[in-house]
Amino acid sequence: RIAAAYVPPTTRARRSLQLSAKKIDFVVEEESRDFLDVSSVFLDSFWADKAGSQELTAAQRRELRSGQLDDFRRRYALRRDTRRKATLFVAKDGSTIIGCAGVELDGAVGENLVPVLSNVATAREGRRRGVATTLVREAEKRVREWGCTEMDLVVEESNKPARNLYSKLGYSVISKDTASDTLVPTDDGRIAKQTTTTLTMRRDLNGG
């Protein structure tokens, strides 16, 4: 993770994407400067869900929030002016962030690389409102703007709700990795690395 001081980029300010789809009662914005609030939302949704019935300790929350903030800055700000392309979308209800999703392309378009969707999370107050679906579709639009026709994502095999959502959105499993690493909050207050099984899913964006 990057430990150097973070300097917000001065170009390409956040861009608001007003959505007119039926029953959508929130907006989606492109976040490119301040990742503190969205990191906290990710912590309280993705990581809290991963902890299950176990409540995260203050130390676990600090470690996860710091790591997530560094990760967002590295992925979506510090490297965005290189050959690499990256965007983080946030869904907002008023001024409250209720979800996020990122998409990245690790190289130039035309190098047979496929953009990857990641960091999809929905706050509890944003669930059952189409937030995750809307964020994924916005990521797909951005991928098309980059000139790409496919998008991948990686999901843990045990995460059935996410797998079901992606399947409904047209993603199919193309590979399986039984030796992936993941971080897990433990009941003794640590954040431990564990081995998990992940699935790579892909959608052909020309397929509808």
Side-chain angles (χ1 to χ4, degrees), residues 77-113:
L78 297 179
R79 295 170 61 190
R80 66 182 298 129
D81 293 326
T82 65
R83 293 170 69 247
R84 186 176 178 278
K85 298 179 180 294
T87 302
L88 179 68
F89 293 103
V90 295
K92 285 188 173 182
D93 185 348
S95 60
T96 302
I97 296 176
I98 57 175
C100 63
V103 62
E104 304 162 78
L105 180 64
D106 283 316
V109 176
E111 293 183 348
N112 296 320
L113 299 173

Side-chain angles (χ1 to χ4, degrees), residues 54-55 57 59-60 184-192 194:
Q54 167 197 334
E55 186 173 350
T57 67
Q60 286 174 324
V184 178
T186 62
D187 56 11
D188 61 358
R190 297 180 301 112
I191 304 296
Q194 294 184 2

Side-chain angles (χ1 to χ4, degrees), residues 85-87 103-105 109 115 141-148:
K85 298 179 180 294
T87 302
V103 62
E104 304 162 78
L105 180 64
V109 176
K141 290 179 185 178
R142 179 54 50 85
V143 165
R144 290 188 181 97
E145 291 173 3
W146 291 343
C148 301

Side-chain angles (χ1 to χ4, degrees), residues 26-87:
F26 53 88
V27 298
V28 171
E29 295 178 349
E30 178 184 335
E31 183 56 83
S32 61
R33 292 185 176 182
D34 182 9
F35 300 95
L36 183 60
D37 289 343
V38 67
S39 297
S40 295
V41 171
F42 195 89
L43 169 66
D44 290 330
S45 52
F46 179 86
W47 287 112
D49 282 351
K50 198 161 189 176
S53 59
Q54 167 197 334
E55 186 173 350
L56 294 173
T57 67
Q60 286 174 324
R61 293 180 66 85
R62 284 194 300 270
E63 181 177 348
L64 290 170
R65 182 184 289 110
S66 176
Q68 197 63 53
L69 180 58
D70 285 348
D71 185 60
F72 280 161
R73 287 171 173 170
R74 175 180 58 82
R75 287 173 181 256
Y76 307 115
L78 297 179
R79 295 170 61 190
R80 66 182 298 129
D81 293 326
T82 65
R83 293 170 69 247
R84 186 176 178 278
K85 298 179 180 294
T87 302

